[in-house]
Amino acid sequence: MAAAPRLICEADALRDAGDGVRFEIDYGGERAPAFAVRHDGRVHAYLNRCAHVAMELDWREGQFFDFAGRDLICSTHGAAYDAANGRCLGGPCAGKPLVRLRVEERDGRIYYLGVDDG
Ligand code: FES
């Protein structure tokens, strides 16, 4: 049975290319950090774990975008990810993507639905 949608935040907490919102999920039987951002008007969410080394991406809480507000950047060694799908764009992620999470924007709120298995 699918888990019930879980509230992450109010929709207006996520501005396009602005700071993300951190939250936690159950992942592999453990609590794990995750985040949601808004990119080109749509909300995307990922496990907050770099594909290079299992580090959180944000150097300042909620800061996931590069200075241009276009790509997601890991603060540790600079891996770049496509904000729309988590694909590795360059750097030490070496082709490995972020773990995508399913989210829904509904009635002015953002909900977590589960890990995107494919
Ligand atoms: S830990 Fe993210 S680029 Fe190395």
Side-chain angles (χ1 to χ4, degrees):
M1 190 174 87
R6 188 160 57 83
L7 179 66
I8 298 173
C9 62
E10 301 294 322
D12 60 8
L14 292 177
R15 290 179 296 103
D16 217 60
D19 282 1
V21 169
R22 296 169 53 104
F23 60 104
E24 287 195 326
I25 64 168
D26 292 319
Y27 186 74
E30 296 183 355
R31 301 295 289 169
F35 67 97
V37 292
R38 189 180 296 279
H39 174 71
D40 285 343
R42 294 195 57 195
V43 176
H44 304 276
Y46 302 97
L47 194 65
N48 193 359
R49 182 180 294 173
C50 186
H52 175 222
V53 176
M55 305 276 292
E56 297 182 16
L57 274 70
D58 47 337
W59 60 272
R60 181 178 63 74
E61 184 168 323
Q63 178 126 20
F64 296 97
F65 281 105
D66 62 9
F67 288 121
R70 189 188 64 214
D71 302 326
L72 303 176
I73 294 288
C74 177
S75 61
T76 303
H77 309 112
Y81 299 94
D82 189 326
N85 54 35
R87 189 169 53 93
C88 173
L89 297 175
C93 45
K96 291 177 293 209
L98 295 174
V99 174
R100 294 174 58 161
L101 307 178
R102 292 185 296 115
V103 290
E104 177 183 40
E105 183 168 1
R106 171 169 43 91
D107 299 330
R109 292 180 165 167
I110 311 292
Y111 296 90
Y112 169 63
L113 304 179
V115 176
D116 188 340
D117 293 323

